[in-house]
Amino acid sequence: MSRVSTAPLRLVTRDDRAVQLPSNSSLPSIESEAQLRGLLGALSGVDAVGAEARAAKLATRSLKKSTKLAALDLAISMVDLTTLEGADTPGRVTSLCAKALHPDANAPEVPSVAAVCVYPDLVAHARTVLGASTVKVAAVATAFPSGRASMAVKVLDVKEALDAGADEIDMVIDRGAFLAGRYGQVFDEVVAIKELCGATHLKVILEVGELKTYDNVRRASWLAMLAGADFIKTSTGKVGVSATLPTALVMLESVRDFAEATGLRVGVKVAGGIRSAKDALRYLVVVNETAGSSWLTPDGFRFGASSLLNDLLMQRLKQHRGAYVRPDEFSGD
Amino acid sequence: MAPTSAPTSSAATDVSDDLTQSRLGAMTYDPAPESAAIVTFRDAYGLFIDGRFTDPSSHDSFATINPATETVLARVALASASDVDVAVKAARRAYETTWSKLSGAQRAKYLYRIARLIQERSRELAVAETLDNGKPIRESRDVDVPLAAAHFFYYAGWADKLEFAGYGAKPTALGVAGQIIPWNFPLLMAAWKLAPALAAGNTCVLKPAETTPLTALLLAEILQQADLPPGVVNIITGDGTTGSALVDHPGVDKIAFTGSTEVGRLIQERVAASHKGLTLELGGKGANIVFEDAPVDEMIEGIIDGIFFNQGHVCCAGSRLLVQESIADDVLRRLVRRVDQLRVGDPLDKNTDVGAINSAAQLARINELAAYGEHEGATRYTSTCVLPDKGYWFAPTVFADVAQSHRIAREEIFGPVLSVLTFRTPDEAVAKANNTKYGLACGVWSEKGSRTLWVAQRLRAGVIWANTYNRFDPTSPFGGVRESGFGREGGRHGLEAYLDVH
């Protein structure tokens, strides 16, 4: 898969994208690996100390009263409720879907979550349970979580998920190829998967815990966006370090700059290790003050999480009632 | 930075039109005020002399107000020359009978106590500072008060190790130090002055600024709590006449002053040909130099921190932005966008970025210089933020197309006003940065370490930050050259100002 270095790429066209775009938006045409390398190399570096200081400063924002309530409901609507275990069963997915549709059984006004996120073999079952609801089915594919498989296997993985009715595909990039500097290979893989997906939302997982540096996170973000990603996602949740606030900050700066440069809005999904409502609200503040409030929709930002949802519900009820309820007030799924 | 093949900016406009229709809309923050109830000011404060609050001989007093609301917080005593005399004599007595007799370890014990008490009462001190000064609670809580405690902790560590500071085998104290501090960091400047002076074995007479005396008076309560021997620190409130009397008092061995260059010059004239030691920390017109390979997002934050931290009431503020011409348009666009995001308003609100201007007089000076900037032909960008009706406020402002000859490029504005100039080569950047009568601080932004060092070696300024701005630490010496003053505060170097090193 080294098309980049040999022949011009087929570009992702405007119509393939899930978000309706302004008429004058355009992706730069990537004709060669050298050009791609030049584009990524021209990106500004990230000063790690400064980025972490900025994230820490934003984390001191204090959301109160109606802002807090609105933010909690917004966060609930942005959750990709996730189960990615070897022990997953149709029964487990059924109860997860029920939770996704009606997160709080006693409060019908609580919004549904954005999506349920499962392995490809459970997509069909989730699709059936969710029926015609607004909750999407997202499938992790392309040899998730390591991505260590041939392209043929990855393509088949995605095809099966799409055939089973997935609305969204969460693919992983080949971190080994990226770290070895084979940007063209990573680019081609994302382009190929996006072609398969068509109008189906494609989230590209960078696995920031393996990219290690913020410079790499920014380059990988731009690479994925240039290749046609609808979302860029921090992590699989399967390595030691997952989403962090400064990493999300760097990715949000990238999507903001990409939108300015191309007219294309790409979303950001943070995943792994986000368990408390307090953390979730901090991410929303970073979204608001970096990419802007127009990213504060389930099309612009997502949380990949499972236990986060119940803390959001508990904090929400606390805001309404003025006191905490027992954790067992909420279903454990 | 966007790729070079990026289309025009009109695309971005379309995107925002498209996206403002998002169904959940903008997240605006409800007020999140820190409670002012944690601090109770007395109706009136006397002078803190010899370990007690005493009435001034003249019974004169003046009001200190909250600049965000123009309400009176308390009345404080106006110390006359005779009060200064009493305070200096108390300090002398304490120096001769008590403080100079204590070992370094015993002095350290008191400094550690003061540091811990500042930490214990940190919320109270932060709220008091914000009320009296107008600075955002986020800054008084996260910067001023923790750093004040850190200075006492740091110099407590030096008190019993002075012979290892590099000033001879047995360095001795100077005696009585007269210390005059400004209104921009009232508690922190008190800590910068008192901690090294006490560690080195001096006793002190401290005069806080006229508009911000309250945290120094709370600190006086803390000194009582810490059982500091009477007279070791005396805190006398007042105006310029009080400071003048302190400078002229023959019983003072050392004057340390932080404030304006004009007043610093007067003090130096008055102290000349006396036995008194002198250190001055004066004004500045700091240059923040941005090269085209700077880490752009952090650089924008650094520019913002450099000039809008503490409403720009910072002697080392990065009030001149020198940006490489090749990226000037992009930097200005990003900067103006970011300035518009700054949250200006109630300083007690935990989400406020920029608070109130400290006084009507300072606001008048900022207004005058900003108006002059327009008159000189610079392009003005002012934040569209809504300013409160009461109090002293100035919307964050950026001037582009500024020339070296403009007043706003030469004079210290001491407010939230940034002047943007451009340069073409590193030589030109250095020449422009140094083309000022001041020399307090500069910033250099580049991902190329060799260039940063090349530039830093040629800048004539006491402090140079690389890829950051306005970072302070008790271990790091701070001070200026040329009309920004002389002497260092902080670090091992800060001890020299309070030791007999000759």
Side-chain angles (χ1 to χ4, degrees):
Chain A
M1 294 303 295
S2 54
R3 281 188 304 177
V4 163
S5 49
T6 54
L9 288 167
R10 238 189 316 153
L11 291 177
V12 179
T13 62
R14 197 157 63 79
D15 299 337
D16 288 341
R17 300 184 63 101
V19 180
Q20 193 54 47
L21 302 164
S23 55
N24 57 350
S25 58
S26 60
L27 270 174
S29 163
I30 308 292
E31 306 291 343
S32 69
E33 176 145 15
Q35 185 201 353
L36 178 64
R37 189 174 295 282
L39 276 174
L40 298 182
L43 295 171
S44 166
V46 181
D47 183 78
V49 175
E52 284 164 13
R54 172 68 177 149
K57 202 174 190 181
L58 286 173
T60 69
R61 291 289 196 223
S62 179
L63 304 191
K64 299 285 185 200
K65 297 176 185 163
S66 69
T67 309
K68 186 168 189 178
L69 265 179
L72 288 168
D73 278 358
L74 178 60
I76 291 169
S77 75
M78 291 172 160
V79 167
D80 281 4
L81 199 58
T82 302
T83 185
L84 297 170
E85 304 298 333
D88 286 346
T89 59
R92 160 89 179 126
V93 171
T94 302
S95 55
L96 196 74
C97 290
K99 179 84 172 175
L101 288 166
H102 305 291
D104 186 344
N106 300 317
E109 72 278 11
V110 173
S112 302
V113 303
V116 294
C117 184
V118 294
Y119 274 112
D121 61 327
L122 290 162
V123 167
H125 183 70
R127 180 75 277 158
T128 309
V129 177
L130 290 170
S133 76
T134 58
V135 179
K136 312 277 190 214
V137 179
V140 294
T142 67
F144 181 95
S146 70
R148 301 246 67 84
S150 73
M151 194 57 195
V153 170
K154 292 179 187 176
V155 165
L156 196 63
D157 201 14
V158 173
K159 271 188 179 150
E160 284 190 0
L162 290 171
D163 290 346
D167 304 296
E168 304 177 347
I169 298 292
D170 289 25
M171 74 171 286
V172 292
I173 64 165
D174 184 335
R175 283 86 74 186
F178 182 91
L179 291 170
R182 298 197 302 275
Y183 297 146
Q185 179 187 337
V186 182
F187 183 88
D188 284 349
E189 289 193 8
V190 178
V191 168
I193 300 298
K194 180 59 195 169
E195 280 173 358
L196 276 178
C197 287
T200 303
H201 251 246
L202 175 65
K203 308 195 196 98
V204 177
I205 302 171
L206 311 179
E207 197 67 302
V208 295
E210 292 185 346
L211 299 185
K212 298 288 185 191
T213 69
Y214 297 118
D215 287 338
N216 277 345
V217 171
R218 177 162 289 172
R219 285 185 183 199
S221 297
W222 274 84
L223 185 152
M225 292 187 289
L226 288 165
D230 297 299
F231 260 76
I232 50 177
K233 176 175 167 184
T234 58
S235 334
T236 60
K238 302 291 185 190
V239 302
V241 177
S242 293
T244 66
L245 214 51
T247 307
L249 172 74
V250 170
M251 291 169 69
L252 285 158
E253 288 163 353
S254 302
V255 297
R256 176 200 64 202
D257 291 349
F258 187 78
E260 281 200 342
T262 65
L264 302 172
R265 184 179 71 171
V266 174
V268 174
K269 177 173 170 182
V270 291
I274 304 159
R275 292 189 180 85
S276 72
K278 194 167 195 167
D279 280 346
L281 298 196
R282 284 176 176 160
Y283 280 102
L284 293 187
V285 166
V286 176
V287 175
N288 190 39
E289 301 203 23
T290 307
S293 60
S294 57
W295 260 263
L296 287 173
T297 77
D299 285 339
F301 196 74
R302 295 274 183 93
F303 295 101
S306 43
S307 59
L308 169 65
L309 182 56
N310 270 0
D311 196 46
L312 288 168
L313 294 172
M314 187 183 292
Q315 299 301 334
R316 186 183 175 281
L317 211 55
K318 197 255 175 185
Q319 287 297 304
H320 281 293
R321 290 194 189 169
Y324 283 107
V325 298
R326 292 188 307 274
D328 282 343
E329 290 281 319
F330 307 102
S331 64
D333 297 307
Chain B
M1 216 184 307
T4 46
S5 59
T8 61
S9 57
S10 61
T13 317
D14 283 351
V15 132
S16 59
D17 288 348
D18 179 44
L19 299 178
T20 43
Q21 293 158 12
S22 65
R23 65 185 171 89
L24 287 147
M27 181 158 69
T28 52
Y29 304 146
D30 277 346
E34 181 71 59
S35 169
I38 193 168
V39 59
T40 311
F41 296 120
R42 306 177 195 180
D43 294 336
Y45 285 89
L47 304 170
F48 183 71
I49 297 175
D50 223 4
R52 297 181 299 119
F53 282 98
T54 57
D55 284 337
S57 56
S58 65
H59 300 287
D60 281 345
S61 69
F62 59 97
T64 183
I65 64 161
N66 177 348
T69 60
E70 300 177 57
T71 52
V72 173
L73 294 168
R75 292 195 71 81
V76 294
L78 178 69
S80 63
S82 63
D83 297 314
V84 171
D85 185 54
V86 175
V88 172
K89 283 180 174 149
R92 174 64 58 193
R93 201 161 49 242
Y95 177 71
E96 283 172 0
T97 61
T98 320
W99 201 241
S100 64
K101 306 275 195 284
L102 295 183
S103 69
Q106 285 172 308
R107 291 197 305 275
K109 176 185 74 179
Y110 291 106
L111 291 171
Y112 280 124
R113 270 189 205 163
I114 295 165
R116 283 195 298 269
L117 286 164
I118 289 173
Q119 288 184 321
E120 278 172 25
R121 295 177 64 172
S122 59
R123 269 189 70 201
E124 179 191 354
L125 288 166
V127 170
E129 197 75 302
T130 287
L131 288 171
D132 203 18
N133 172 278
K135 66 175 64 199
I137 186 74
R138 175 166 58 78
E139 291 177 6
S140 50
R141 179 195 67 200
D142 295 347
V143 182
D144 293 60
V145 176
L147 266 180
H151 268 267
F152 278 104
F153 275 120
Y154 176 75
Y155 280 109
W158 270 117
D160 63 349
K161 303 174 192 71
L162 295 177
E163 59 267 44
F164 305 109
Y167 301 114
K170 204 170 179 353
T172 53
L174 294 170
V176 175
Q179 305 174 317
I180 302 170
I181 58 172
W183 47 262
N184 57 344
F185 296 93
L187 179 69
L188 181 57
M189 289 302 108
W192 277 30
K193 293 280 184 284
L194 294 175
L198 297 177
N202 303 270
T203 57
C204 303
V205 178
L206 177 81
K207 193 223 151 247
E210 192 179 348
T211 60
T212 56
L214 292 178
T215 44
L217 295 167
L218 292 182
L219 182 62
E221 293 177 3
I222 286 174
L223 302 179
Q224 287 179 321
Q225 265 183 289
D227 262 339
L228 189 72
V232 172
V233 172
N234 305 276
I235 298 174
I236 50 167
T237 49
D239 58 14
T241 60
T242 311
S244 182
L246 182 58
V247 168
D248 288 342
H249 197 289
V252 171
D253 299 304
K254 150 92 193 180
I255 293 291
F257 172 77
T258 298
S260 72
T261 296
E262 291 81 357
V263 175
R265 189 174 282 123
L266 287 175
I267 290 175
Q268 192 171 13
E269 284 171 12
R270 300 264 278 277
V271 167
S274 78
H275 70 290
K276 294 171 195 171
L278 179 65
T279 45
L280 297 173
E281 203 268 87
L282 308 175
K285 193 72 185 174
N288 221 347
I289 304 170
V290 168
F291 287 98
E292 63 182 2
D293 64 349
V296 66
D297 289 293
E298 295 72 41
M299 171 261 286
I300 293 291
E301 288 308 315
I303 297 168
I304 294 285
D305 274 345
I307 186 61
F308 299 118
F309 174 61
N310 202 30
Q311 295 74 247
H313 301 328
V314 185
C315 46
C316 54
S319 50
R320 286 184 297 155
L321 174 64
L322 297 179
V323 54
Q324 193 164 355
E325 224 172 292
S326 55
I327 56 163
D329 290 347
D330 184 54
V331 169
L332 188 64
R333 188 179 55 81
R334 288 169 181 271
L335 192 58
V336 169
R337 177 177 66 191
R338 182 70 183 86
V339 168
D340 226 25
Q341 281 185 351
L342 289 169
R343 307 172 69 85
V344 184
D346 180 8
L348 276 178
D349 192 309
K350 287 177 257 187
N351 295 325
T352 291
D353 296 321
V354 179
I357 302 302
N358 180 250
S359 66
Q362 188 57 31
L363 180 59
R365 171 162 173 82
I366 298 167
N367 274 319
E368 182 205 326
L369 277 164
Y372 211 87
E374 286 186 63
H375 169 72
E376 284 173 316
T379 309
R380 179 173 182 163
Y381 299 90
T382 298
S383 165
T384 55
C385 64
V386 180
L387 299 178
D389 298 329
K390 297 236 12 169
Y392 314 128
W393 302 92
F394 192 90
T397 294
V398 174
F399 278 104
D401 308 314
V402 177
Q404 279 288 95
S405 56
H406 290 171
R407 268 183 82 187
I408 54 170
R410 310 204 68 76
E411 291 182 29
E412 183 177 40
I413 299 173
F414 222 63
V417 180
L418 177 67
S419 300
V420 183
L421 300 91
T422 59
F423 67 88
R424 293 159 297 176
T425 63
D427 289 296
E428 189 181 1
V430 170
K432 281 187 163 167
N434 286 341
N435 182 209
T436 170
K437 61 185 180 178
Y438 296 111
L440 193 50
C442 284
V444 184
W445 294 83
S446 170
E447 285 273 275
K448 187 167 176 174
S450 59
R451 172 158 48 219
T452 300
L453 292 172
W454 188 92
V455 171
Q457 281 165 351
R458 285 158 181 79
L459 290 173
R460 287 183 292 180
V463 180
I464 294 161
W465 283 292
N467 286 357
T468 189
Y469 208 93
N470 274 345
R471 295 281 155 216
F472 306 98
D473 191 279
T475 62
S476 173
F478 180 93
V481 295
R482 297 190 283 174
E483 290 191 23
S484 292
F486 48 81
R488 293 292 176 267
E489 295 182 288
R492 181 182 65 78
H493 312 69
L495 291 167
E496 184 179 343
Y498 295 101
L499 289 173
D500 184 2
V501 295
H502 301 110

